[in-house]
Amino acid sequence: MFEPIILSVKVALIATVIAFFLGVFFAYLLTKRKVPGKNIWETILILPMILPPSIVGYLLLKVFGKRGPIGAFLLDTFGVQVVFTWVACVIAASVVALPLMYQNAKGAFQSVDHSYELAAKTLGSSPFKVFRTVTFPLSGPGIVSGIVLTFARALGEFGATLMLAGNIPGKTQTIPTAIYYAVVVGKDEKASALVAIMVVFSFALVFGLNMWLKKKNHKGGW
């Protein structure tokens, strides 16, 4: 009962950290810098949010499977198999949740008044210092929203996880896959309990985020 919960939280936390760094990096790069093929890169980043999770999982399986380019390399070079491990759960959750982090970070960066960044540059600040002291702090509420929504999405990931990691109890079985398996074998009480946990936790996350944002907006600052 508790193993899927513990695994799901661990996977969601790691996936959120990965999505945070990648999402913020690409959002800043594509928002503040001139990048060739910007629309193509942005489309690729958002695509996992649009495609059915099963298709995302299938594509990941082709990449990280034993015959996939990355999967074969890791297996032949290091003897590491990605598919049907908890690492596969992290990869699936990271890929599916990344668009949420990217979109929120992008919106946050675009909302920053460019005059503040320009003033910092005029005073001799390097691009990294401008980002660290001006852009990122002023984007705080949007970044936090992205983190919370990314975590919630990673926690509830099902389709891509099932394709890439499978449903192995005690190894790759997360809350969503545990619910699916419980329904299939007729364990309605277990399914209902896990569903209740997911609904209450997700509601608390979103409700808490909305309350925090209202409080910040009321105070008028980050």
Side-chain angles (χ1 to χ4, degrees):
M1 176 67 177
F2 292 103
E3 286 182 343
I5 298 174
I6 295 172
L7 178 61
S8 291
V9 172
K10 180 175 77 170
V11 166
L13 285 172
I14 298 174
T16 300
V17 172
I18 295 172
F20 167 76
F21 284 105
L22 290 178
V24 169
F25 171 76
F26 283 113
Y28 179 80
L29 187 67
L30 297 178
T31 303
K32 302 295 183 179
R33 294 287 183 268
K34 293 182 179 180
V35 179
K38 175 182 176 180
N39 290 335
I40 295 176
W41 289 111
E42 189 168 52
T43 301
I44 293 173
L45 287 168
I46 298 174
L47 205 56
M49 186 168 59
I50 301 171
L51 291 174
S54 57
I55 294 180
V56 177
Y58 177 78
L59 294 174
L60 290 174
L61 191 61
K62 285 296 184 180
V63 174
F64 291 97
K66 291 182 179 180
R67 298 181 180 179
I70 298 179
F73 171 77
L74 292 175
L75 188 61
D76 295 339
T77 307
F78 304 104
V80 176
Q81 178 179 316
V82 174
V83 178
F84 302 128
T85 66
W86 71 271
V87 176
C89 297
V90 173
I91 293 173
S94 300
V95 171
V96 173
L98 176 60
L100 280 173
M101 189 67 241
Y102 169 76
Q103 286 288 77
N104 278 272
K106 175 187 173 183
F109 291 153
Q110 288 178 333
S111 68
V112 174
D113 191 336
H114 184 62
S115 62
Y116 294 121
E117 297 172 316
L118 188 60
K121 291 179 181 178
T122 303
L123 293 172
S125 297
S126 65
F128 178 73
K129 188 175 181 180
V130 172
F131 171 78
R132 181 172 56 85
T133 60
V134 179
T135 308
F136 190 79
L138 291 177
S139 305
I143 297 294
V144 173
S145 297
I147 292 173
V148 173
L149 294 177
T150 297
F151 178 80
R153 181 65 186 87
L155 190 69
E157 166 48 32
F158 172 71
T161 300
L162 190 62
M163 292 288 290
L164 189 63
N167 180 35
I168 307 173
K171 189 177 180 180
T172 66
Q173 189 178 71
T174 58
I175 295 177
T177 55
I179 293 171
Y180 173 78
Y181 179 75
V183 171
V184 169
V185 299
K187 295 182 178 180
D188 292 339
E189 291 184 2
K190 181 179 180 180
S192 297
L194 290 172
V195 167
I197 291 171
M198 283 292 293
V199 171
V200 171
F201 186 72
S202 299
F203 179 86
L205 273 178
V206 177
F207 182 81
L209 173 63
N210 287 334
M211 292 298 293
W212 181 81
L213 289 175
K214 286 181 179 179
K215 185 178 179 182
K216 287 296 177 183
N217 289 333
H218 179 70
K219 288 184 176 181
W222 163 242

